[in-house]
Amino acid sequence: MTAVAVSMDIVAVVLLGWARSLPSGPRPEARWSRTGVIMVAGSLLLISAAVWLAAVP
């Protein structure tokens, strides 16, 4: 379980780094928005926190 949480943390940090390179604001030609990527990363961090707490005996 700990490996799952660590991998989710790594993916979330990579997504947050990628979000910095995306333009802000709505753009119809953009496939991903900065807000959407940040929301996905935030969700991964919250799920990861739940996995960390579940792994504690």
Side-chain angles (χ1 to χ4, degrees), residues 1-53:
M1 292 298 277
T2 305
V4 171
V6 169
S7 64
M8 291 171 72
D9 289 339
I10 292 170
V11 169
V13 168
V14 169
L15 283 174
L16 287 173
W18 179 50
R20 291 179 52 117
S21 68
L22 293 174
S24 61
R27 295 191 179 190
E29 71 276 2
R31 178 171 272 198
W32 287 90
S33 68
R34 181 184 293 178
T35 305
V37 173
I38 291 173
M39 289 174 62
V40 169
S43 298
L44 277 175
L45 288 173
L46 289 173
I47 294 169
S48 172
V51 171
W52 277 111
L53 292 174

